[in-house]
Amino acid sequence: MKPNSLDLGEITDLTLARYNERAEAFWTGTKDHDVGQNIAALLQHIKAVPPFNILDFGCGPGRDMKVFAELGHLATGLEGAMNFVEMARSHSGCEVWHQDFLRLDLPDGYFDGIFANASLFHVPTSELSRVLKELWSTLKLNGVLFSSNPRGNNEEGWNQGRYGVYHDIESWRDYLANAGFVEIIHYYRPAGLPFEQQSWLASVWRKAAV
């Protein structure tokens, strides 16, 4: 199932409502997840002089944003679920912007890196090109975007009360390339497991000059 323009507000509202309802349970279930491989994948490819200005896109309760701050970087969160916004501000001590992914208001050329861990898959394909171009615009030249999404065969629709798109690498490459990004690397997680058990597709991209 793919949305039409009349469905987008409902998709956003219902998905965020699901996260708001389960905010505490989500935090309990994810706070100890080790995403150090993903954090390193972003940081090692940023060419700027640290500290880096990093946008945690879909920061949730603020677990990863706190890590960036503890490493000395300037982390800003962006989150649509208000319960997560409050939790992230409290947990990380960082600034968190309350914005949903389909109505972004981002500064141009501001960030050295964007960390989109388990977030961009919530953007319907009808809006994905536009959202990726907005992320491209908010990065500095040669800035880096990290993304990790649950992988699939380009299925799109509802799953446990949340809307998602489950890209394969070929489809994901097409969307990022069309938005002006150049692929640096991609890999599958969790590390060390057979491919069929690696349910996450991680990728790192650079903002190319126009």
Side-chain angles (χ1 to χ4, degrees), residues 142-159:
N142 292 319
V144 176
L145 167 67
F146 170 87
S147 175
S148 179
N149 297 314
R151 69 179 178 90
N153 296 304
N154 305 310
E155 305 91 343
E156 180 168 2
W158 293 95
N159 185 356

Side-chain angles (χ1 to χ4, degrees), residues 34-206:
D34 181 8
V35 294
Q37 180 186 15
N38 294 346
I39 289 173
L42 171 68
L43 295 179
Q44 68 181 321
H45 291 290
I46 297 176
K47 296 180 177 180
V49 177
F52 305 141
N53 207 347
I54 295 172
L55 176 65
D56 191 343
F57 185 83
C59 65
R63 177 198 64 201
D64 304 330
M65 190 166 47
K66 184 177 181 180
V67 173
F68 287 120
E70 289 174 343
L71 291 172
H73 301 295
L74 306 174
T76 301
L78 186 147
E79 175 59 52
M82 192 62 213
N83 288 349
F84 280 163
V85 171
E86 295 170 351
M87 293 167 71
R89 288 170 177 163
S90 175
H91 179 68
S92 70
C94 297
E95 183 177 3
V96 181
W97 298 340
H98 184 212
Q99 298 183 27
D100 77 62
F101 299 166
L102 302 188
R103 292 185 287 266
L104 297 173
D105 182 14
L106 301 173
D108 288 339
Y110 187 77
F111 293 102
D112 298 299
I114 298 173
F115 189 69
N117 192 69
S119 56
L120 279 170
F121 80 102
H122 287 308
V123 178
T125 53
S126 64
E127 300 299 298
L128 183 56
S129 293
R130 176 179 63 84
V131 170
L132 289 173
K133 288 175 182 176
E134 292 180 15
L135 297 184
W136 185 95
S137 293
T138 200
L139 280 170
K140 298 175 183 177
L141 184 61
N142 292 319
V144 176
L145 167 67
F146 170 87
S147 175
S148 179
N149 297 314
R151 69 179 178 90
N153 296 304
N154 305 310
E155 305 91 343
E156 180 168 2
W158 293 95
N159 185 356
Q160 299 182 353
R162 302 173 299 170
Y163 196 89
V165 187
Y166 304 91
H167 300 274
D168 61 20
I169 182 60
E170 291 79 12
S171 170
W172 192 239
R173 277 176 172 152
D174 287 344
Y175 280 108
L176 272 291
N178 288 335
F181 287 98
V182 175
E183 183 177 354
I184 299 173
I185 191 174
H186 77 274
Y187 56 91
Y188 297 93
R189 283 178 49 85
L193 294 179
F195 178 72
E196 61 271 13
Q197 298 178 31
Q198 293 178 314
S199 56
W200 291 87
L201 167 62
S203 54
V204 186
W205 306 82
R206 191 173 307 283

Side-chain angles (χ1 to χ4, degrees), residues 1-63:
M1 178 188 68
K2 293 188 177 183
N4 60 47
S5 60
L6 298 178
D7 298 324
L8 294 174
E10 183 178 21
I11 284 171
T12 297
D13 291 346
L14 292 176
T15 299
L16 293 179
R18 180 65 171 169
Y19 277 117
N20 277 319
E21 290 166 2
R22 304 193 68 252
E24 290 294 340
F26 184 90
W27 174 238
T28 299
T30 62
K31 64 181 180 180
D32 294 324
H33 284 185
D34 181 8
V35 294
Q37 180 186 15
N38 294 346
I39 289 173
L42 171 68
L43 295 179
Q44 68 181 321
H45 291 290
I46 297 176
K47 296 180 177 180
V49 177
F52 305 141
N53 207 347
I54 295 172
L55 176 65
D56 191 343
F57 185 83
C59 65
R63 177 198 64 201

